[in-house]
Amino acid sequence: MAQALQPLKLLVANRSEIACRIFQTCKEMGILTVGIFTADDTEARHVTFADEVFEVRSYLDIPTILNVSKQANVKIIHPGYGFLSERPPFVKAVEENGLVFIGPRADTMLSLGNKTDAKTLAEGLGIPTLPWLVVSHQKPSESDLKKIGFPILIKAAAGGGGKGMRRVDKFTELGAAAESASAEALAAFGDGSLFLEKLVVNPRHIEVQVFGDGAGGGVHLYDRECTLQRRHQKILEEAPAPNISTKLRSQLYLASLKLVHATRYRNAGTIEFLVDPQENFYFLEMNTRLQVEHPVTEWITGLDLVRAQIQQALEPNTPVFTSSPPSLGHAIEVRIVAENPAQGFTPEAGVLEKIIWPMGHGIRVDKGIEEGQMIHTHYDSLLAKLIVHASNRENAIAKLKIALEETVILGIGTNQNYLRSLIDHPSVVAGNTHTGFLEKEFSMFAPELSPENQSLIQALLKATPSDFQPHSSSRNTRSTLSGRAFESASSNWPSPWKKQKDFPS
Amino acid sequence: MKSESHWQFDFRPGGWVIATGQTDDSSVKRKKIAFIEKNGRVYFSIDGRCWNFQKSQIALKGIGSGKAAHSIESMPTAQFPGRVRKITVQEGDRVKRGDVLILVEAMKMEFSIKAPYDGMIAKIHITEGLQLMPGDSYLDLTPLDKEPEKISR
């Protein structure tokens, strides 16, 4: 009896922005939140926002996560994306411990999570796939590869996020590329198995959000275009996909729903397709989790996908959706990452000294960071997602420009400037890109500070109080030129302020 | 009179600085800046774009990565923290520009460090598994072609 009166608790087996995102919905639903963190991640934002936190050795540490759940009386586990989100043994372990896992059943995950099994399944349903071949212990022969046709893409069977992917243009490149891809896949997913797939030149990446009730029913929640990628990492995502025919759109939805029905898919999932310039489409894989880019779908449908996920998990016999809700307008997301585009996208580490976020009509920020936080290179470089929504695509791009311009992250390098330039590119504005676009046509990103701005910054660095406008208060001067910057700046000033008692020297 | 002395700064709440300046054609410009200085580096946002430069570099003309040639291929030293996953060359090897020398893992991604020019591996300063910090030297590469233009490219 006493137990039934306790509020529901949900543990997020994840970190950073997605943990914070899930916490928000939990709080709205009156569910208590439990977070986990590693020793490298004590400063992460989700540690601040959880109702309760536990330290774990790793975000993949299943025994500790289960122990902690028992200890804290957790009922539900949300895996987020990455980490344990697509590992069937984790789903099994969670359910065997009497807990609710948010996501599909372990067996569905097993058949869909493995890309080669998923392709076989799709082929059986009459969904187009690309020519492919499993890499077994025996190295494929040259004629095997010629059957697929070059160029060929090596992919990790357990993959996602572009890890373990390599392009091979000739047979002699296969060995080295496979070795490095396998090692990367093993490190990222705990499984180094690979397969080969025909590489489509200049394709678009379009995906369909689906939601299944676990009993064979399910709906699509429209499409997203995620064509703009670097190293197979999505960088800008939008919903709906621009410039595709109604025919293609309905074909994609139909193919997706076939998979949902056939697998009796449970909860949120995403079906990824490659679309060539002639609008031929090929099933790529199904992601059996909430995607990083789910906010664009949320915005055009008005849904809270995390709420729908929790609801479906708690009431497995009641479908959350019986039909697709209407969609409205256009949404775009950009990923702000701790990478320096001007230096080959090398990771950046350091303290986030100053952050200013944009706010206002149609602007959403899903962030995993706070001002003053130390960013390490242990984890994914994603700092935050900036999402905008407007009545149409043109207005959404205009809004995204303003939102990006008001995004200030200082103390480490980010791709903010790069993203701002990207959305000025005529091909991006036209919605006419392909998955190789960023590396082929936008690789020469080399911004130059204008001479005027250069002299302005020089002037600011040398500024003395006589250059400050009379109404510039010392309070604001102090907070802007804070810390070391203030000390170094103020020590150079023959400032009368120093003589004042309340002025720190 | 130097152009920079034309700017006046208004330190606003929220961390913004408004710079007001007279340009040469005597029109008034107003710019919104956010800025910090850390370890000799300046980080700022101006005209809606974030930048960062060495403080000493900001005094130079024509700054910008276009001229700095900071591509990962041309860097003999680590530019970011990471772990050495694999060293694909040995001391004494002759390599061509663009050949992969080292694989570095950071943020769960693998980066290949390529030879910036044709050369001979004179000395390797790192071992596989080593945690690198920015500025650590990977290896010494003796150029085979001594023409300075080609080395710097």
Side-chain angles (χ1 to χ4, degrees):
Chain A
M1 277 301 277
Q3 256 193 337
L5 293 172
Q6 282 181 358
L8 220 47
K9 269 193 197 177
L10 183 147
L11 179 142
V12 179
N14 215 301
R15 62 183 294 278
S16 199
E17 73 88 15
I18 194 62
C20 297
R21 162 71 191 89
I22 297 162
F23 291 163
Q24 186 200 333
T25 296
C26 289
K27 287 175 189 186
E28 291 172 23
M29 296 176 81
I31 297 171
L32 288 177
T33 57
V34 180
I36 55 170
F37 67 98
T38 63
D40 299 328
D41 221 12
T42 53
E43 291 192 8
R45 184 174 187 266
H46 72 276
V47 179
T48 313
F49 279 74
D51 292 318
E52 220 175 319
V53 285
F54 292 89
E55 186 169 341
V56 294
R57 268 176 307 146
S58 134
Y59 291 102
L60 300 172
D61 181 358
I62 298 177
T64 310
I65 290 171
L66 292 174
N67 275 340
V68 160
S69 301
K70 205 164 277 177
Q71 202 183 320
N73 218 353
V74 163
K75 167 107 198 275
I76 318 161
I77 294 192
H78 197 306
Y81 52 70
F83 297 116
L84 295 169
S85 63
E86 294 181 279
R87 295 203 177 179
F90 181 57
V91 185
K92 260 192 164 160
V94 168
E95 294 183 338
E96 277 165 9
N97 276 266
L99 303 170
V100 175
F101 177 82
I102 296 192
R105 284 179 300 271
D107 62 333
T108 325
M109 196 181 272
L110 199 63
S111 63
L112 288 171
N114 184 297
K115 292 184 179 184
T116 54
D117 290 350
K119 280 166 80 85
T120 311
L121 179 71
E123 280 167 6
L125 294 168
I127 300 167
T129 60
L130 291 162
W132 60 290
L133 180 74
V134 174
V135 185
S136 54
H137 295 294
Q138 189 130 31
K139 199 178 152 189
S141 70
E142 192 161 3
S143 69
D144 285 340
L145 297 205
K146 280 190 177 147
K147 245 179 257 166
I148 298 177
F150 289 103
I152 282 170
L153 194 62
I154 299 179
K155 295 171 89 173
K163 279 145 201 157
M165 272 195 204
R166 297 289 184 279
R167 179 186 170 134
V168 177
D169 287 289
K170 46 183 190 287
F171 184 66
T172 50
E173 293 174 1
L174 183 68
E179 192 206 329
S180 130
S182 183
E184 199 174 285
L186 190 66
F189 315 113
D191 178 358
S193 48
L194 303 172
F195 69 101
L196 306 176
E197 191 178 71
K198 167 94 181 133
L199 188 142
V200 182
V201 179
N202 295 350
R204 289 169 69 182
H205 175 120
I206 298 177
E207 59 188 31
V208 177
Q209 174 73 53
V210 293
F211 202 99
D213 62 12
V219 298
H220 73 78
L221 299 171
Y222 305 97
D223 50 279
R224 295 185 286 256
E225 169 145 23
C226 313
T227 296
L228 289 172
Q229 309 181 353
R230 263 202 85 264
R231 294 168 159 265
H232 304 284
Q233 283 278 7
K234 296 164 186 170
I235 216 161
L236 181 149
E237 302 107 331
E238 56 187 306
N243 308 330
I244 63 170
S245 67
T246 315
K247 185 183 163 209
L248 174 63
R249 192 161 265 140
S250 49
Q251 281 176 328
L252 295 177
Y253 295 165
L254 191 68
S256 303
L257 289 176
K258 270 187 195 171
L259 272 167
V260 172
H261 298 320
T263 56
R264 291 169 47 243
Y265 192 79
R266 181 179 83 182
N267 224 294
T270 293
I271 298 158
E272 299 190 339
F273 297 95
L274 277 190
V275 176
D276 75 9
Q278 289 74 44
E279 286 207 341
N280 295 307
F281 69 96
Y282 305 96
F283 167 78
L284 266 188
E285 63 181 75
M286 179 159 185
N287 295 318
T288 56
R289 55 171 153 84
L290 190 70
Q291 300 271 102
V292 178
E293 58 272 24
H294 75 276
V296 292
T297 298
E298 293 191 316
W299 224 333
I300 62 161
T301 57
L303 296 170
D304 177 339
L305 283 176
V306 174
R307 180 183 277 265
Q309 283 193 297
I310 296 173
Q311 213 176 312
Q312 190 66 73
L314 289 178
E315 293 170 51
N317 300 320
T318 315
V320 176
F321 301 105
T322 48
S323 63
S324 300
S327 88
L328 182 73
H330 197 96
I332 310 178
E333 170 182 284
V334 287
R335 299 189 189 187
I336 297 168
V337 296
E339 291 174 22
N340 186 349
Q343 290 193 3
F345 286 86
T346 46
E348 291 268 325
V351 176
L352 297 162
E353 302 284 354
K354 184 194 279 293
I355 304 178
I356 304 174
W357 293 114
M359 275 190 218
H361 178 263
I363 298 172
R364 164 175 171 182
V365 178
D366 280 19
K367 58 176 174 167
I369 52 167
E370 295 283 2
E371 197 169 278
Q373 185 179 332
M374 174 75 191
I375 298 299
H376 300 278
T377 49
H378 302 294
Y379 296 110
D380 190 89
S381 60
L382 183 67
L383 299 174
K385 305 181 305 204
L386 175 58
I387 312 112
V388 297
H389 181 243
S391 54
N392 59 38
R393 189 168 187 269
E394 192 187 342
N395 292 352
I397 292 175
K399 197 184 286 286
L400 182 57
K401 279 183 191 171
I402 300 307
L404 267 173
E405 289 182 1
E406 290 182 7
T407 301
V408 177
I409 300 175
L410 305 179
I412 63 169
T414 74
N415 64 340
Q416 182 267 358
N417 196 341
Y418 174 90
L419 291 170
R420 180 61 193 82
S421 293
L422 178 64
I423 56 171
D424 275 341
H425 195 287
S427 299
V428 175
V429 172
N432 176 27
T433 56
H434 56 87
T435 54
F437 173 83
L438 292 180
E439 269 136 326
K440 282 184 203 132
E441 291 166 53
F442 202 71
S443 61
M444 296 312 288
F445 177 73
E448 296 243 3
L449 190 64
S450 72
E452 180 186 65
N453 285 345
Q454 199 176 326
S455 76
L456 201 170
I457 296 300
Q458 283 170 8
L460 181 59
L461 282 168
K462 289 181 203 151
T464 64
S466 65
D467 299 318
F468 299 162
Q469 289 201 341
H471 58 276
S472 246
S473 73
S474 65
R475 177 169 48 85
N476 290 330
T477 314
R478 201 155 61 218
S479 69
T480 299
L481 299 176
S482 61
R484 277 159 293 192
F486 181 74
E487 282 157 28
S488 70
S490 60
S491 63
N492 296 331
W493 298 340
S495 168
W497 298 1
K498 277 191 173 176
K499 291 173 191 139
Q500 289 177 13
K501 262 190 205 157
D502 62 339
F503 196 76
S505 53
Chain B
M1 210 176 184
K2 279 186 195 165
S3 62
E4 58 251 46
S5 57
H6 291 293
W7 294 102
Q8 272 225 318
F9 299 103
D10 178 7
F11 291 83
R12 312 284 308 163
W16 297 104
V17 182
I18 295 291
T20 315
Q22 301 266 325
T23 51
D24 295 338
D25 59 2
S26 76
S27 60
V28 176
K29 283 216 166 178
R30 194 167 189 269
K31 292 200 181 226
K32 183 161 104 284
I33 306 167
F35 137 107
I36 64 135
E37 199 188 327
K38 177 172 83 169
N39 304 334
R41 222 173 158 80
V42 201
Y43 297 78
F44 55 93
S45 162
I46 191 164
D47 293 340
R49 289 166 185 271
C50 295
W51 303 82
N52 68 85
F53 293 103
Q54 285 295 336
K55 202 177 165 187
S56 52
Q57 205 187 349
I58 200 95
L60 304 172
K61 278 207 163 175
I63 53 172
S65 54
K67 296 199 174 144
H70 275 320
S71 100
I72 184 167
E73 285 83 3
S74 67
M75 280 299 165
T77 57
Q79 293 298 295
F80 53 90
R83 198 180 59 84
V84 182
R85 199 183 75 70
K86 198 173 164 88
I87 302 168
T88 55
V89 289
Q90 293 184 332
E91 287 178 8
D93 282 0
R94 283 174 176 242
V95 293
K96 285 212 172 103
R97 183 184 163 202
D99 283 356
V100 174
L101 308 177
I102 304 150
L103 299 176
V104 177
E105 197 177 272
M107 284 183 172
K108 308 274 178 234
M109 286 184 288
E110 195 180 270
F111 294 84
S112 33
I113 310 302
K114 294 173 184 167
Y117 44 79
D118 296 355
M120 203 255 298
I121 309 290
K123 182 145 186 62
I124 297 175
H125 301 294
I126 52 172
T127 52
E128 287 179 10
L130 186 76
Q131 190 67 36
L132 291 167
M133 289 311 289
D136 287 355
S137 175
Y138 297 128
L139 45 75
D140 295 339
L141 181 62
T142 310
L144 288 180
D145 189 335
K146 298 263 178 201
E147 211 181 315
E149 267 304 300
K150 291 205 173 166
I151 296 167
S152 66
R153 286 304 296 167

